[in-house]
Amino acid sequence: MKLTHSYKQATVDGKYDVIIIGSGISGLAAGALLAKAGRKVLILERHYTPGGFTHMFKRKDYEWDVGIHYIGEVHKPTSVLGQVFAYLSDNQLEWAEMGEVYDKIIFGDEVYDFRTGIDNFKEELKKHFPAAEDQQAIDEYVQVVFDVAKVGGGYFAERAMPKPISFLFGKFMRRGLLKIASQSTREVLEKITKNEKLIGVLCGQYGDYGLPPAESSFAMHAMVAKHYFRGGSYPVGGSSRIFDTIAPAVLKAGGAIYTNADVKQILVENGKTTGVLMADGKEIHAPMVISSAGVMNTYYHLLPEEVSEKAGLPQKIKSLTPSSAHLSLYIGLKHTAEELGIEKPNLWIYPDNYNHDENVNNFRKDSKAPLPVVYISFPGAKDPDFTNRFPGRTTIEIITIAPFENFSKWDGTRWKHRGEDYDAYKEELSQQLLEYLYKYVPQTKGKIDYYELSTPLTTKHFINYEHGEIYGIDHTPDRFKQTHLRPQTPIKGLYLTGQDIVTAGIGGALFGGVITAAAILKKNLVKQMMSQKVG
Ligand SMILES: Cc1cc2nc3c(=O)[nH]c(=O)nc-3n(C[C@H](O)[C@H](O)[C@H](O)COP(=O)(O)OP(=O)(O)OC[C@H]3O[C@@H](n4cnc5c(N)ncnc54)[C@H](O)[C@@H]3O)c2cc1C
């Protein structure tokens, strides 16, 4: 089945009930759920490849994912996330578990394994922190993380509710999570332990949500930590399998998905959306539009300025900040992971200093300071199907944060034609990242066949985040207080979806899609999906 058409080569015809801007996991999930409820859905994606951050790209004899390295809670079909994926993909999406260890947290030469299973996780950490007060702190920490999970469901479910119901019950449903979400990760952890080393290790996955402990909301930290407690998984066949297995649901109901389809503006007449204006000047009409392009993009750029101003939208989001930008180095090797002895766990490499806030602030002040975090992922080892598609090969990805400002002088230049100074800067950064690989995975030295660096400008160019954001808006305590980050907008017929209305992460963005579809269909879709037989 041909899943997409190129907007450049085919005209959009037919009538659609809903237009969705963006084909990332949130737009796709919302589209599939609406399609399964009988709606005709048109998904418009500006990139030439569909899938948003779940898409993959190829160079030479290699293929890389761009925005997924591991997902928690999917391998068990009884988990809500596993069930939702099974439902959306009609059981076609398979997951490969990463096994015993999913993350290795490294400070200098000290390595802390995050082991699959709560008891294993605690036991392993306790080996490194034998003092009685630290052992007690580890137990307390895990308990607090679970306490957050208990109140998170109500907080997000409220967002799918119609306004009058949310007006009556919203405050009550949000209260539990807000109490903890309005505190920073550091504030909560310092109540549990005074051991900076332990805090540093417990926050060893902070790169998964992009902010160090003093700046991130503890709710976000806890959701991520819990998400992985029972291990990580990777999509068999690579992350593009997510789009490939969910998109058919949209098409089966008479919907269509177009790539190279850049939406310039959301059309609004008399306070109601009437469709979209494309970058080539054509209008496509529908009574409902869902934007997965991010709340900042939608309110600052996609809505006509006077409409956005009149509805007070820029005012609502002015306290929100874009998340940091990032670099990704995509590496190809002419050996299999097995031949090179490359294992599945992700490496999180930090400077010797266990205080992440200091490391990040030092780097913000001086970009020559040690990189505050370097993350290395081994997709070629995690995907059991990789060597079937690419015999004798494996891939590695290295990621770090990078201020957009370091690249702003090339903003506006053309992709692949940004100039020699840009290429030279990229090469310098690539070599800096490769040094980490050679130090921690020395067997890769001399074996690299290909590498290519993506910068914040790449993210801006392909996924349309204005500041090359890695995770949409920042996960600060303030973000969790914003009750307007929900599917419904003040413009009739216009809905939001995506990581900005729940949280970053494939799971968060997927639930963005679920609550948007639930708000439109006025149904408890999670309950409906959990009652289906899968697996
Ligand atoms: C480097 C990196 C690593 C990550 N690793 C993980 C991980 O290991 N595990 C995990 O769970 N999560 C991970 N994430 C986070 C996860 O990928 C995202 O949170 C999630 O995919 C966001 O989905 P979304 O649907 O909200 O947005 P997106 O995937 O960004 O989709 C939005 C889509 O809208 C399109 N669009 C924007 N503007 C327009 C327009 N004007 N017209 C048409 N289309 C438009 C974009 O091109 C894009 O395709 C990672 C992210 C990054 C960047």
Side-chain angles (χ1 to χ4, degrees):
M1 185 191 288
K2 187 170 163 33
L3 299 178
T4 61
H5 300 282
S6 168
Y7 180 76
K8 283 184 184 162
Q9 286 154 12
T11 33
V12 177
D13 46 20
K15 274 194 145 193
Y16 294 93
D17 300 313
V18 189
I19 293 172
I20 300 183
I21 305 171
S23 65
I25 184 62
S26 64
L28 188 64
L33 287 167
L34 292 171
K36 281 174 183 270
R39 306 286 167 102
K40 262 183 91 176
V41 174
L42 173 65
I43 298 184
L44 300 171
E45 168 56 57
R46 66 192 284 284
H47 196 339
Y48 55 76
T49 309
F53 276 126
T54 67
H55 86 269
M56 299 184 86
F57 71 97
K58 282 197 175 112
R59 299 277 187 274
K60 277 181 88 182
D61 298 328
Y62 304 97
E63 175 184 70
W64 297 268
D65 51 51
V66 298
I68 153 165
H69 304 106
Y70 62 148
I71 305 191
E73 301 175 311
V74 282
H75 48 281
K76 278 208 323 207
T78 48
S79 76
V80 180
L81 193 53
Q83 184 90 357
V84 173
F85 269 118
Y87 179 81
L88 293 177
S89 70
D90 284 330
N91 288 319
Q92 295 306 301
L93 191 55
E94 289 177 79
W95 300 99
E97 291 183 53
M98 287 173 69
E100 170 84 17
V101 177
Y102 49 99
D103 280 323
K104 284 179 175 282
I105 314 297
I106 303 171
F107 291 86
D109 294 325
E110 280 285 323
V111 182
Y112 304 82
D113 286 351
F114 278 11
R115 279 175 58 203
T116 299
I118 293 132
D119 291 339
N120 296 334
F121 176 87
K122 288 204 242 180
E123 187 189 279
E124 186 67 29
L125 275 192
K126 286 179 182 178
K127 280 190 208 153
H128 291 275
F129 295 96
E133 64 271 24
D134 290 339
Q135 306 237 329
Q136 203 183 328
I138 291 165
D139 289 332
E140 204 183 321
Y141 164 76
V142 171
Q143 187 53 51
V144 176
V145 165
F146 276 104
D147 290 346
V148 174
K150 277 186 216 142
V151 285
Y155 174 89
F156 291 113
E158 182 273 328
R159 298 190 166 185
M161 289 178 166
K163 262 216 166 125
I165 302 181
S166 138
F167 182 75
L168 287 177
F169 301 109
K171 214 169 166 187
F172 173 72
M173 292 176 80
R174 287 191 298 268
R175 198 169 56 188
L177 189 86
L178 262 185
K179 218 169 128 192
I180 199 110
S182 49
Q183 300 173 60
S184 73
T185 305
R186 179 168 285 285
E187 277 174 290
V188 175
L189 291 184
E190 281 184 348
K191 284 181 205 153
I192 297 173
T193 177
K194 295 283 169 264
N195 187 339
E196 190 61 46
K197 249 184 162 181
L198 181 55
I199 293 177
V201 175
L202 293 175
C203 294
Q205 302 161 306
Y206 86 81
D208 279 333
Y209 48 87
L211 279 179
E215 295 171 40
S216 54
S217 163
F218 182 72
M220 186 59 193
H221 169 89
M223 284 185 270
V224 168
K226 189 213 154 236
H227 180 65
Y228 292 114
F229 272 162
R230 291 191 174 87
S233 299
Y234 189 82
V236 176
S239 65
S240 57
R241 286 290 298 155
I242 294 179
F243 179 86
D244 293 349
T245 55
I246 299 179
V250 173
L251 308 189
K252 273 183 210 161
I257 304 171
Y258 284 81
T259 53
N260 292 306
D262 191 2
V263 173
K264 190 174 173 209
Q265 201 168 71
I266 296 164
L267 298 169
V268 180
E269 272 175 40
N270 304 321
K272 190 178 177 322
T273 182
T274 56
V276 295
L277 170 70
M278 303 300 288
D280 66 359
K282 284 190 194 131
E283 290 189 0
I284 305 175
H285 294 279
M288 198 178 274
V289 173
I290 300 174
S291 173
S292 78
V295 66
M296 290 195 174
N297 258 340
T298 308
Y299 288 174
Y300 287 139
H301 303 301
L302 287 173
L303 276 173
E305 199 179 334
E306 63 286 2
V307 172
S308 201
E309 287 286 348
K310 195 170 163 209
L313 299 176
Q315 191 64 17
K316 277 189 200 293
I317 58 170
K318 75 171 198 293
S319 70
L320 300 172
T321 47
S323 55
S324 167
H326 75 287
L327 304 175
S328 277
L329 186 66
Y330 300 96
I331 300 168
L333 301 98
K334 258 191 203 160
H335 295 268
T336 64
E338 204 174 297
E339 280 163 7
L340 292 173
I342 289 176
E343 295 177 337
K344 294 173 193 169
N346 309 307
L347 308 185
W348 292 96
I349 302 164
Y350 297 105
D352 279 339
N353 181 2
Y354 281 67
N355 187 318
H356 297 297
D357 295 295
E358 285 178 8
N359 294 336
V360 169
N361 286 327
N362 290 341
F363 180 70
R364 282 180 186 150
K365 277 187 231 136
D366 172 12
S367 54
K368 296 266 176 281
L371 295 174
V373 51
V374 173
Y375 171 81
I376 310 187
S377 169
F378 306 96
K382 285 183 251 190
D383 176 6
D385 187 53
F386 187 86
T387 44
N388 297 335
R389 301 191 317 276
F390 302 98
R393 302 276 191 278
T394 196
T395 53
I396 298 176
E397 291 158 6
I398 312 181
I399 298 173
T400 189
I401 56 174
F404 185 77
E405 301 76 64
N406 290 7
F407 297 84
S408 46
K409 71 171 171 172
W410 295 286
D411 195 8
T413 57
R414 226 161 24 103
W415 178 54
K416 290 203 167 188
H417 300 274
R418 300 196 195 279
E420 281 176 16
D421 50 351
Y422 176 76
D423 293 339
Y425 186 41
K426 270 179 58 165
E427 179 55 20
E428 182 189 323
L429 294 167
S430 303
Q431 291 305 328
Q432 187 185 9
L433 293 176
L434 284 173
E435 284 309 314
Y436 283 86
L437 182 68
Y438 299 149
K439 176 161 182 202
Y440 292 97
V441 197
Q443 64 272 38
T444 56
K445 196 157 190 177
K447 303 276 176 11
I448 290 178
D449 177 40
Y450 185 82
Y451 63 87
E452 180 172 332
L453 187 78
S454 82
T455 75
L457 295 181
T458 323
T459 309
K460 179 171 178 167
H461 174 73
F462 284 112
I463 318 264
N464 208 20
Y465 288 97
E466 194 183 356
H467 308 277
E469 294 94 300
I470 182 167
Y471 297 133
I473 50 177
D474 263 337
H475 295 78
T476 57
D478 178 53
R479 170 199 175 129
F480 286 87
K481 295 178 198 156
Q482 311 285 332
T483 50
H484 59 87
L485 294 176
R486 55 193 307 121
Q488 307 86 346
T489 72
I491 315 294
K492 255 185 145 182
L494 174 64
Y495 291 83
L496 299 176
T497 195
Q499 56 187 352
D500 285 355
I501 65 160
V502 177
T503 64
I506 296 296
L510 174 72
F511 276 105
V514 173
I515 65 168
T516 301
I520 292 168
L521 298 170
K522 299 189 174 51
K523 270 193 184 152
N524 184 339
L525 293 177
V526 173
K527 201 167 157 199
Q528 183 183 315
M529 286 186 271
M530 290 306 284
S531 65
Q532 304 273 322
K533 261 221 150 326
V534 292

